[in-house]
Amino acid sequence: MNFSSWPALFVVDVEGNGTNPPDLVEVAALPVREGQPDKSTAGAWLTKPKRPVTPFAARVHGLTNQVLADQPGWEEISSAVHELLGTAWIAAHNAHVDFRVLSAHLPQWQPAGVIDTLRLAKATYPNLPKYTLDALIKYTTPDLSQAPGQRHRATFDAYATVQLLITMAARYESWEQLVAAAVPPGLPGAPEPEQEPTLW
């Protein structure tokens, strides 16, 4: 895999307040450059949700209402998130979720494409019993010594997902092959189905 051929790409992860639909409480966007995570130009934001964090969500990520009480509201940081992401590709684990939540919060945002590392893992490692982020970390044993924060925080999960993406991408010859395996149908960047030739 020639990583220098990749377009601009951010691995993203979001954490929510536990409601449905969720309010965001944390967003992380970590660029991949030359096959490496670039923490120097990453973005990470905490935001106070309009509705309180549920006890279950707080237990998962540790972001309680008290922790978020003094953080800016989404309307104060949304333009910065949108500006960083621009029209770059994004990648996420179970990307439907992150894409849907981000799109709801950034109505004007449209990424060039969406890579799902869950879909990619099923194509790359077809016989694993589970494809959760934890299961894939255990299987691929990436170096997470430089990961910020802890598991279930957006910054840590984005870093772990970058390492997972890089590990899997090394098994593909080209960006086009990776996209064919990793972009869910119906999401931006999905390869066009080949048209059947017609008589006319």
Side-chain angles (χ1 to χ4, degrees):
M1 171 63 75
N2 177 12
F3 286 104
S4 63
S5 68
W6 284 27
L9 182 144
F10 288 88
V11 171
V12 300
D13 190 72
V14 302
E15 301 297 336
N17 67 333
T19 61
N20 189 19
D23 293 337
L24 288 171
V25 296
E26 188 177 29
V27 178
L30 181 58
V32 180
R33 302 190 200 283
E34 299 294 331
Q36 296 295 326
D38 181 8
K39 289 201 293 183
S40 68
T41 56
W45 297 266
L46 290 174
T47 177
K48 180 181 177 181
K50 285 187 166 65
R51 294 166 293 176
V53 179
T54 66
F56 175 79
R59 281 197 300 275
V60 172
H61 50 53
L63 294 168
T64 62
N65 292 301
Q66 290 77 8
V67 169
L68 298 167
D70 296 326
Q71 297 298 327
W74 177 249
E75 63 281 354
E76 297 174 66
I77 64 168
S78 59
S79 60
V81 178
H82 193 176
E83 186 176 346
L84 181 68
L85 293 176
T87 57
W89 282 71
I90 65 162
H93 199 65
N94 200 9
H96 280 283
V97 174
D98 299 78
F99 175 67
R100 186 173 66 239
V101 174
L102 278 171
S103 295
H105 284 76
L106 297 170
Q108 305 304 315
W109 168 68
Q110 180 70 18
V114 179
I115 282 178
D116 182 9
T117 52
L118 175 60
R119 182 181 177 87
L120 181 61
K122 288 179 177 179
T124 310
Y125 310 121
N127 298 313
L128 296 188
K130 292 168 71 175
Y131 292 92
T132 63
L133 190 56
D134 285 324
L136 290 164
I137 288 170
K138 187 174 181 181
Y139 182 74
T140 60
T141 62
D143 179 5
L144 300 180
S145 60
Q146 301 299 310
Q150 70 274 346
R151 179 74 175 92
H152 296 299
R153 287 293 300 273
T155 49
F156 183 99
D157 289 1
Y159 188 92
T161 303
V162 167
Q163 299 291 16
L164 182 61
L165 173 61
I166 292 165
T167 299
M168 293 190 292
R171 291 169 167 249
Y172 293 82
E173 289 185 12
S174 67
W175 169 256
E176 290 73 24
Q177 280 189 0
L178 184 74
V179 164
V183 180
L187 290 192
E192 292 291 323
E194 289 190 17
Q195 298 297 318
E196 289 292 324
T198 65
L199 290 174
W200 311 107

